[in-house]
Amino acid sequence: MNIVALAGGVGGAKLADGLARLNPPPALTVIVNTGDDFNLFGLHISPDLDTVCYNLAGMEQRNTGWGRADEGWDVYQEIQKLGGPDWFRLGDKDLATHLERTRRLGSGEPLSKITADFCRVWEIDPAVLPMSDDPVPTIVLTDQGELAFQDYFVKLSCEPAVTGFRFQGVENSQPTPGILQAIQEADLIVICPSNPWVSIEPILAVPGIRSALEEKLVLAISPIIAGEAVKGPAAKMYLEMGIIPSATAVAKHYGNLLDGFIIDKQDEGLMKVIINRETHPLKVFCADTWMKTREDRVRLAGEVLDFGQQIIEEV
Ligand code: GDP
């Protein structure tokens, strides 16, 4: 099967990794959010892209899901001693990625080409495509004013109350070369269990991507389980935007884009409500969606593809 997955950071990376480890693996393209990208020490940092790549290469830090395993912190500690910014933890190995990426971007190469070359070195089989080679920084609108995404997310630990989001410059951005073709050729689109507001929305906002997806069979996995996010501010964002966080809210969020939706077993009680929603009917599948181990990722990925296959056959 030919799959295109849409992913943010940790939640997206885990499912993308599960899909890539299936036996046999599907032909997989992962489109990754770059709205979180930012600059620190003059370095271009792409947190979601790196999280996806490190997971696909099997070299992620297991307890956090982001950063590198067996990481060294010499540079970080020296920066701390010097009184430099230490709110964003950059490990020594991780820094090599940012240094080399920044050097190549500075010489005019696009992010997608650099990412593809890094993936080759890290022996990553799936195609990993940043959503755009153009910068589209996410701005979080909050009760403390407009905040750059990482200032909100890491520096302020998601504490400000959110009132909205802006994807700066998105109207003039273009999808990375290859994205629209990959979508066109896909049998199934999988929206990973990533934050709908700040991981998936930025991808859908890049001109051309949403309309290309509307032509395809699209499945999503809820990042909200029993009213809470597994990690991060997704549930808090729903509340602050005046919506009760639930798998139902996520299904509503993606609206008519979805043909199928996978919710956690803990939310089985919501199944009927989601199936019978007012917009076009949705096929819903219940699974154990909390990926705590590598085996969980592969098992869930297998269930996602089986459910996708079932929907393909019914259409
Ligand atoms: P971030 O950029 O690292 O925040 O990454 P994502 O947007 O990809 O992931 C964050 C979202 O993924 C949160 O809303 C989590 O609730 C969700 N998430 C993380 N791990 C899991 C998991 O194992 N299962 C499910 N269903 N959701 C998850």
Side-chain angles (χ1 to χ4, degrees):
M1 211 188 300
N2 202 332
I3 307 288
V4 166
L6 271 50
V10 173
K14 287 194 287 185
L15 187 65
D17 180 46
L19 288 165
R21 283 171 195 272
L22 284 170
N23 188 13
L28 178 63
T29 300
V30 191
I31 302 175
V32 184
N33 170 42
T34 53
D36 295 14
D37 289 19
F38 73 118
N39 199 290
L40 190 62
F41 303 110
L43 300 178
H44 181 106
I45 301 172
S46 299
D48 285 358
L49 211 45
D50 293 340
T51 298
V52 167
C53 288
Y54 294 163
N55 273 269
L56 288 173
M59 56 192 197
E60 83 283 9
Q61 202 184 347
R62 289 311 301 277
N63 55 346
T64 57
W66 53 266
R68 293 279 303 263
D70 306 318
E71 185 57 288
W73 298 96
D74 285 351
V75 176
Y76 181 74
Q77 282 159 7
E78 292 304 316
I79 288 167
Q80 275 187 316
K81 279 189 210 160
L82 294 171
D86 64 353
W87 56 273
F88 197 91
R89 291 173 64 87
L90 294 170
D92 299 345
K93 288 182 183 172
D94 193 27
L95 268 168
T97 307
H98 312 314
L99 282 164
E100 178 58 2
R101 174 167 45 222
T102 306
R103 184 191 70 77
R104 289 181 61 173
L105 284 169
S107 66
E109 290 186 68
L111 183 61
S112 53
K113 163 87 168 63
I114 301 167
T115 305
D117 288 347
F118 286 5
C119 284
R120 211 163 299 123
V121 173
W122 292 330
E123 297 179 358
I124 292 170
D125 289 331
V128 179
L129 303 178
M131 67 190 199
S132 178
D133 281 326
D134 305 314
V136 184
T138 296
I139 309 292
V140 187
L141 315 182
T142 76
D143 58 355
Q144 299 180 21
E146 295 202 355
L147 295 169
F149 183 77
Q150 297 299 344
D151 285 351
Y152 161 81
F153 194 65
V154 180
K155 207 187 229 173
L156 298 173
S157 311
C158 311
E159 272 163 19
V162 161
T163 56
F165 306 92
R166 210 156 54 71
F167 310 124
Q168 196 165 297
V170 74
E171 2 18 278
N172 299 320
S173 69
Q174 287 190 0
T176 290
I179 284 189
L180 296 182
Q181 192 184 344
I183 294 174
Q184 246 166 33
E185 290 171 1
D187 301 305
L188 185 70
I189 311 294
V190 176
I191 301 181
C192 292
S194 288
N195 186 316
W197 299 102
V198 291
S199 289
I200 302 300
E201 279 297 334
I203 303 176
L204 299 178
V206 175
I209 294 190
R210 191 181 184 108
S211 51
L213 294 176
E214 278 165 359
E215 307 297 315
K216 308 300 293 190
L217 280 179
V218 180
L219 290 189
I221 297 90
S222 176
I224 302 282
I225 301 179
E228 286 176 29
V230 171
K231 168 198 162 286
K236 181 174 177 282
M237 286 174 172
Y238 273 107
L239 271 178
E240 289 164 356
M241 298 290 284
I243 302 164
I244 295 171
S246 65
T248 318
V250 177
K252 225 177 199 169
H253 195 129
Y254 292 132
N256 286 348
L257 199 55
L258 292 190
D259 300 284
F261 192 49
I262 298 180
I263 61 174
D264 195 83
K265 280 194 172 140
Q266 294 184 49
D267 288 321
E268 206 162 358
L270 300 177
M271 215 157 162
K272 272 208 181 115
V273 187
I274 299 175
I275 291 172
N276 296 323
R277 62 188 192 157
E278 289 141 29
T279 50
H280 80 193
L282 190 57
K283 305 221 180 304
V284 182
F285 179 73
C286 245
D288 187 357
T289 68
W290 193 327
M291 296 168 280
K292 293 176 182 155
T293 63
R294 189 120 20 225
E295 292 70 39
D296 289 340
R297 301 176 181 189
V298 179
R299 177 197 37 78
L300 180 61
E303 288 175 319
V304 169
L305 286 208
D306 288 348
F307 181 48
Q309 186 64 44
Q310 194 186 317
I311 295 182
I312 290 169
E313 282 163 18
E314 284 171 16
V315 168

